[in-house]
Amino acid sequence: MIYISEGLLYICFAILTGSLLLRLVPDDRRPTVHVPNGLLLACAIAIPILSYVPIHNLALVFGKDFDMTYGSILKSILLDINTGKAWLWTAIGSAGLAFLLGLKAFRGDKHMPKVALFVTFLLIVWLGYAGHASSLYGFRGLLTHATHFLAVSVWIGILFVTSWFAKDDANWHAFLRWFSPVAIISVILTLLAGFILMSFTTPEYVNAWMLPYGQMLLIKHLLILPLLLFAYSNGFGYKKAAKSNPSFNPRRWLKAESVIALLVLAATGVLGQQTPPHTVKETLQTVSPSPLFTTVYKGSFSPDIALKFTLHMESLLMFAAALLMAVGLLWMYRTNKLIPAFIMGILTAVFGYYGLMFSIA
């Protein structure tokens, strides 16, 4: 339940960020996009509800461990722990955002989306304040986490809203002309902030693959590969594809890209509710190794092992298959075959995963 709530929370942020940003874009530089105001209002209301789920679970665990009532332990969490303090500010900010979105004047006023976008930005900052990096590294961790999530929300939010809520196919070229550089900047910020976060939370990246957290982090990174391939195709291959095929519809491809983006958000949601392994050996004293790792890993498992890369024929074959699928995805884009391209994108991540897992010893 907690993983589902975290994934839905990220989707709510993406919809709000993408919708509010697109309201600031002139009509001639985007297709006609209509996101129901009720959906935006539901997202604003859902944010404090979904972000309360981990606090509820924490209160249950602490209450059991310290033999305290739910109410007393909840009060302590909300007043003394960063996660609780952030939730209080999130609840207040979400209430204000819901009030703005509920106003009839919001639909016609050109300044209201700016105010709502600012409140959404504050909610993202508070989400970063509640994260692992902030609790461990203070302002550096807060800034890195918030930047990472803001960049993801801008990129995936605009992508998701445009692909699923566009009402026509007008101005796609004008839209991609400004969205492509925005997406590139967002991707660069996401990757840079992500690497810094990893140095904070997962300094032993390869060894962490023995743990559920490390496995999910690896899966997330591998899913980013087909996401970037779709982003590259949609950003730079659109002109050529549309020229060679007049019936080419970019919205179908943006939808496919958004589906993979949602898988990345789902993996991020799972990571957000797991304890990062700062020292893998110590973590393995209290956390069981990943069943996925122990199933795929061919060596004998021990908490003391240090994983190393050793290329074998089977791992090279897996990497070659991943490369073949990546090239096939780009070729399918040129020939406007969406389903095979989507399957090849997923297989790029799958073969890449087995290539890496078969390489460790």
Side-chain angles (χ1 to χ4, degrees), residues 165-179:
F165 294 98
K167 298 301 180 182
D168 55 42
D169 296 326
N171 304 319
W172 278 106
H173 180 62
F175 165 72
L176 291 174
R177 193 162 50 193
W178 66 262
F179 176 62

Side-chain angles (χ1 to χ4, degrees), residues 264-316:
V264 174
L265 285 181
T268 305
V270 174
L271 287 171
Q273 295 307 317
Q274 292 186 357
T275 303
H278 304 288
T279 305
V280 173
K281 185 177 179 180
E282 293 180 3
T283 305
L284 282 169
Q285 304 303 317
T286 56
V287 177
S288 299
S290 166
L292 185 57
F293 171 81
T294 54
T295 300
V296 178
Y297 182 57
K298 293 191 172 183
S300 57
F301 172 76
S302 168
D304 299 325
I305 64 174
L307 301 181
K308 297 179 181 179
F309 277 104
T310 305
L311 289 177
H312 303 286
M313 179 57 68
E314 55 189 2
S315 61
L316 290 174

Side-chain angles (χ1 to χ4, degrees), residues 7 22 49 107 122 178 235 295 309:
L22 284 170
I49 297 173
R107 302 174 187 176
L122 291 179
W178 66 262
T295 300
F309 277 104

Side-chain angles (χ1 to χ4, degrees), residues 30-238:
R30 59 172 174 82
T32 303
V33 176
H34 175 68
V35 181
N37 216 53
L39 177 60
L40 295 179
L41 185 59
C43 288
I45 295 173
I47 285 175
I49 297 173
L50 295 170
S51 58
Y52 181 76
V53 174
I55 294 178
H56 169 71
N57 287 357
L58 194 62
L60 292 177
V61 172
F62 282 178
K64 183 178 180 180
D65 291 343
F66 297 104
D67 195 24
M68 297 174 64
T69 64
Y70 182 87
S72 59
I73 202 71
L74 178 62
K75 179 181 177 181
S76 178
I77 291 173
L78 294 179
L79 298 180
D80 300 329
I81 299 179
N82 283 5
T83 304
K85 296 175 184 177
W87 184 84
L88 288 175
W89 285 109
T90 297
I92 295 171
S94 298
L97 181 59
F99 175 76
L100 285 176
L101 296 173
L103 293 175
K104 290 184 179 180
F106 177 80
R107 302 174 187 176
D109 192 301
K110 63 179 181 179
H111 297 296
M112 281 291 189
K114 299 176 184 177
V115 178
L117 191 60
F118 177 73
V119 176
T120 304
F121 170 74
L122 291 179
L123 293 175
I124 290 174
V125 172
W126 291 325
L127 182 75
Y129 181 69
H132 299 301
S134 177
S135 62
L136 293 170
Y137 295 94
F139 180 74
R140 282 189 304 152
L142 165 63
L143 180 63
T144 305
H145 191 166
T147 300
H148 181 266
F149 190 63
L150 177 62
V152 169
S153 297
V154 170
W155 172 29
I156 295 180
I158 296 175
L159 169 69
F160 184 82
V161 170
T162 306
S163 59
W164 291 96
F165 294 98
K167 298 301 180 182
D168 55 42
D169 296 326
N171 304 319
W172 278 106
H173 180 62
F175 165 72
L176 291 174
R177 193 162 50 193
W178 66 262
F179 176 62
S180 293
V182 168
I184 291 171
I185 294 172
S186 297
V187 168
I188 292 173
L189 286 175
T190 299
L191 295 177
L192 288 176
F195 283 127
I196 296 173
L197 280 176
M198 279 174 51
S199 69
F200 289 162
T201 61
T202 320
E204 302 177 51
Y205 178 66
V206 176
N207 282 338
W209 293 354
M210 292 185 280
L211 296 162
Y213 184 96
Q215 282 287 305
M216 186 53 63
L217 185 61
L218 174 61
I219 290 171
K220 173 187 174 181
H221 290 162
L222 289 170
L223 284 172
I224 291 175
L225 291 176
L227 180 60
L228 292 177
L229 288 172
F230 270 99
Y232 172 81
S233 298
N234 287 326
F236 299 99
Y238 165 65

Side-chain angles (χ1 to χ4, degrees), residues 226 318 321-323 325-326 340-353:
M318 288 295 105
L323 180 61
M325 290 298 103
F342 183 83
I343 294 173
M344 287 179 175
I346 298 299
L347 288 177
T348 300
V350 171
F351 287 134
Y353 172 82

